[in-house]
Amino acid sequence: MKKYNFNAGPSILPREVIEQTAAACLDFENSGLSLMTISHRAKNFQPVVDEAEALFKELLDIPEGYKVLFLGGGASLEFCMIPYNFLEKKAAYLNTGVWATKAMKEAKLFGEVVEVASSADKNFTYIPKDFEIPTDADYLHITSNNTIYGTELRKDIDSPIPLIADMSSDIFSRPLDVSKYALIYGGAQKNLAMAGVTFVIVKEDALGKVSRQIPTMLDYRTHVKKGSMFNTPPVVPIYSALMNLRYIKAHGGVKAMEQLAQERAKIVYGEIDRNKLFVGTAEEESRSLMNLTFVLKPEYQELQDEFMAFATSKGMVGIKGHRDVGGFRASCYNAMSIEGCEALVACMKEFESNH
Ligand SMILES: *Cc1c(COP(=O)(O)O)cnc(C)c1O
C-alpha cells in the first residue's frame, strides 16, 4: 500500500533527494568513498557547502551582507545562541506557542524579556495582531510557523528593531523579504533536509553588539568567519539539504512551492470545512499552509481512535495531532503531493459516509 507521510518533523522529502543522498553515502561522486567517511575538509566537500549557501541566497533572494550557516544543535540551541549574541538588556518576544515559549525561557537567562503579545488565552489558535514593539529592546523574536498549533504569520512584518525569526517549519515555502530580518534560523528536518543540521541566515553587521564574552562555539562570528567549518559540520545532512535545494530550484523555486502549498491547503482545509465530522482548530486567517490541524466535532469525539485506525489503514502516516492540541495534524511540506492531499480527503469523505 502507498504511504503518505504527513509527519510534522522529521518529515517528508522528495524521493530523489533521499535517493541521491543514499547514493552518496555509498559512493560520493565516484570517489569510491562513502559521504559518511570523508573529511569535511576534503576538497570535494567544500563545493557542497558553497553551493548550498549559493542556492539559499538565490532561492530566497538574500541581499548582500548576509551569511548562511550550517550548524549543529537544532533550532533549540539557537534559542540560547540568539540572546547570547543579541541581548544586551532587553528583548521582545511574540508568544505564539510552545516553541516561542521555549525561546523566551532561554532569553530570560540573559536579560529582561518583554512578551509583546500572546495567543495563550485561546490555546495559540491565532497569531496576535496590532501589538506594540518596544523600540528600546535589542530585538524582536517571532516564530513564523507554529508547527504544533497550525498557525502561520506568512508575511514579513516591519519591525523598528532587529527582527529574528524561527522559520523551522516554513522556510522555502514562500518568497521572503530577507532584508527585514537580522537573523532567520531553523532546524532543517521540517521542510529542508534530513535531521541533523540547523540553518542560520544572519546579517553580518547585526553581530558584535553585545558586551558579554561569548563561548567560541556559541558565537555566530566564529561560524561566519570559518564558513560553517570551525568544527566538523553535519556532512550528510548538509548534502541532503543541497539535494533538496537543487530540487526546489528545478521545480520553480519558492514561488512555485508557495503555489503548491496554497493548492494543498485549499484541498485539505476545504474538506475540513465541508465534512460534518471535523472542524479546524486554528482561526481561519491564521491557518498554516504547512501544518493543517483539525479535530472531531464535540458530538463525534468518540470516533477519535476509529478515525486514526481507518486513516492508518488507508496509508496515512503521522496525522495524529500534537498532545497540546489533540485530534489530527496533516503536515504538508514542499514534498507532499496534491495526490497525497486528495488521498487524505478521500479517506475523510469515506469515513464520513460510514457514519
Ligand atoms: C521543530 C521545531 C523546533 C525545534 O527544532 P529542533 O531542531 O528539534 O531543536 C523549533 N521551532 C519550531 C517552529 C519547530 O517546528
Side-chain angles (χ1 to χ4, degrees):
M1 179 186 45
K2 179 145 191 198
K3 301 258 181 163
Y4 298 99
N5 186 353
F6 290 99
N7 276 319
S11 36
I12 189 168
L13 285 169
R15 182 75 203 172
E16 61 192 82
V17 169
I18 296 168
E19 283 170 356
Q20 288 159 345
T21 306
C25 285
L26 293 173
D27 182 4
F28 178 54
E29 293 182 343
N30 301 314
S31 62
L33 294 174
S34 166
L35 177 63
M36 294 177 186
T37 65
I38 60 162
S39 167
H40 57 294
R41 306 204 189 275
K43 71 173 186 303
N44 53 355
F45 187 69
Q46 185 63 47
V48 170
V49 177
D50 293 344
E51 189 186 341
E53 172 163 17
L55 280 174
F56 251 82
K57 290 185 169 169
E58 182 184 335
L59 291 166
L60 295 175
D61 200 14
I62 299 175
E64 288 290 300
Y66 286 78
K67 183 84 188 148
V68 180
L69 308 175
F70 300 102
L71 309 176
S76 300
L77 185 61
E78 301 307 305
F79 294 165
C80 96
M81 277 178 80
I82 286 156
Y84 232 133
N85 285 266
F86 290 92
L87 201 166
E88 183 70 19
K89 279 211 169 71
K90 183 158 110 178
Y93 279 71
L94 177 62
N95 187 1
T96 51
V98 163
W99 297 116
T101 305
K102 287 187 175 174
M104 279 167 71
K105 178 173 175 242
E106 299 306 300
K108 284 173 188 162
L109 298 171
F110 296 87
E112 187 189 343
V113 170
V114 183
E115 186 182 79
V116 295
S118 165
S119 47
D121 58 337
K122 290 187 183 162
N123 199 32
F124 300 113
T125 48
Y126 68 102
I127 305 279
K129 282 196 294 205
D130 304 325
F131 46 84
E132 216 170 292
I133 303 168
T135 52
D136 61 342
D138 299 314
Y139 62 87
L140 170 67
H141 179 281
I142 59 171
T143 313
S144 56
N145 183 66
N146 299 282
T147 323
I148 292 173
Y149 302 93
T151 63
E152 189 175 9
L153 197 49
R154 239 183 155 72
K155 61 173 188 239
D156 306 305
I157 62 170
D158 291 304
S159 168
I161 56 176
L163 182 61
I164 295 182
D166 177 354
M167 293 199 185
S168 291
S169 48
D170 62 348
I171 190 78
F172 292 108
S173 72
R174 67 176 176 94
L176 288 178
D177 182 353
V178 175
S179 72
K180 290 192 171 178
Y181 300 86
L183 189 145
I184 296 170
Y185 69 97
Q189 70 276 16
K190 311 292 170 43
N191 202 26
L192 176 62
M194 61 181 282
V197 61
T198 313
F199 65 87
V200 175
I201 303 167
V202 60
K203 192 176 188 182
E204 286 182 66
D205 69 11
L207 295 171
K209 302 270 165 76
V210 290
S211 55
R212 75 173 59 82
Q213 295 252 21
I214 306 173
T216 312
M217 264 302 278
L218 300 182
D219 189 334
Y220 287 117
R221 288 171 301 181
T222 302
H223 304 290
V224 167
K225 205 162 97 198
K226 297 288 183 180
S228 305
M229 291 279 191
F230 170 71
N231 70 326
T232 317
V235 169
V236 179
I238 291 173
Y239 187 84
S240 74
L242 173 60
M243 293 304 109
N244 198 26
L245 291 164
R246 282 187 188 165
Y247 172 94
I248 294 168
K249 182 175 170 176
H251 288 79
V254 287
K255 268 215 176 89
M257 294 302 123
E258 177 175 51
Q259 200 172 351
L260 264 175
Q262 282 163 346
E263 273 177 54
R264 285 189 303 255
K266 198 169 158 211
I267 293 168
V268 176
Y269 282 128
E271 177 59 16
I272 292 169
D273 293 341
R274 188 211 59 80
N275 195 301
K276 70 170 186 200
L277 304 177
F278 301 102
V279 61
T281 61
E283 284 186 11
E284 220 167 308
E285 60 176 339
S286 298
R287 278 175 165 179
S288 168
L289 300 194
M290 297 285 101
N291 312 97
L292 292 66
T293 50
F294 56 104
V295 293
L296 284 153
K297 285 181 184 160
E299 61 270 36
Y300 295 110
Q301 275 306 315
E302 78 285 358
L303 298 176
Q304 173 81 20
D305 293 346
E306 199 185 318
F307 180 68
M308 263 315 292
F310 182 76
T312 304
S313 78
K314 299 282 179 189
M316 307 301 139
V317 176
I319 63 159
K320 192 172 169 33
H322 187 278
R323 61 188 176 281
D324 291 346
V325 179
F328 312 98
R329 169 175 53 178
S331 295
C332 295
Y333 297 117
N334 285 349
M336 175 53 66
S337 61
I338 298 293
E339 181 214 330
C341 295
E342 283 167 348
L344 175 62
V345 165
C347 169
M348 291 165 75
K349 283 198 164 118
E350 192 180 336
F351 192 72
E352 178 190 38
S353 65
N354 293 346
H355 293 87

